[in-house]
Amino acid sequence: ARSFAGYLGNLVASGPDGSEGTHWIEAMPISGILSFNVIAPLLLAMLTFVLCRGVSEGAILNRLLTGTKLITIAVVIIAGFSRCNFHLWTPLFPEGVSPVASQAATLCFAYIGFDAIANSAEEVARPSVDIPIAIVSSLSICAILYIGVVLALAGLVSYKDVDDEAPLASAFDAKSGMRWARIVVDIGGVIGLSTTLLVGLYAQARVYLGMARDGELPSFLAKVNAKYDSPLMAQLTCGLVAAVLATFFNVHMLASLLSIGVLTSYSSVAAATIVLRTDNRSIAEPTLICAILLSGSLSLCLRLSNTPIWIIIMISILLLCTSYPLLYLMKF
């Protein structure tokens, strides 16, 4: 939601009046990691209202926004390759492999949202067939689009000149006659982040619903509204928590929290799946603990850019050796 406000500010600033009148869109610093933003909670409130009305309304909005976003991404990739300097692609790893691995650990949240497909199993006609196909196909399409955008960006400007705040917009600004592409990027950012927020709020409410049914959260979150057939209280709670965070915390802090949360939750689910699918838990549980410790050590080494490569390779080999008995014990 914070990034949405940034793209919206850039889009308004690209108009005929320039940056005049955009101060209300930008975040107002308070202290340290705290700042105040008015656009983020308004957007979250609107999306929460749509989702509270039921799945059908949210699905229609999601289809419209997703279709527009895919067209925008395609235009950006084509425009970027039309002015691409392929010599900028070499060397492929100018700073070595360690910075790439370090940023990959941070940017893993770019793939968040695919869990929303699994969380919607109750609302799918054939979950055993449709869910796996949807996850694999959407993951593959998004990975291809991510690669295309990155290749276009790397061919437009040198990696040293990439703007952290608005990389694509700044890259197109650096090329004469490409101002229209910058506007397309800002529109795509506004639409793309809207769909991301919509899916994220939808999925998180279903997580609250499932946990409340199991007694891990208050029971009122498990109530489903009879009129709209949606988890109304869970959806409102999810929207409220997201609005508070987006209102007072800056985008860098939120990105760090999101990365930590994604890695922790996905790792926990993967570990629980392994344990539940094994017959011999006396072997699976201690082996799983070793694997978790090794994966944590590997993540820490990847985050530290000065870690020797032989340490990373050694921990990776140990992790693979530890994972083998777990996979052998699993029932598929």
Side-chain angles (χ1 to χ4, degrees), residues 72-86 88-89 148-157 168 171-172 175 178 180-182 184-185:
T72 304
I73 293 174
V75 171
V76 168
I77 293 175
I78 295 171
F81 274 93
S82 67
R83 299 290 296 274
C84 188
N85 181 5
F86 297 102
L88 293 175
W89 287 359
V149 171
V150 170
L151 288 176
L153 175 62
L156 288 172
V157 295
L168 286 171
F172 283 119
K175 298 290 184 180
M178 299 292 286
W180 64 270
R182 190 246 170 85
V184 172
V185 168

Side-chain angles (χ1 to χ4, degrees), residues 89 95 129 184 204 214 245:
W89 287 359
E95 302 293 337
V129 176
V184 172
Q204 191 61 45
D214 294 337
L245 291 174

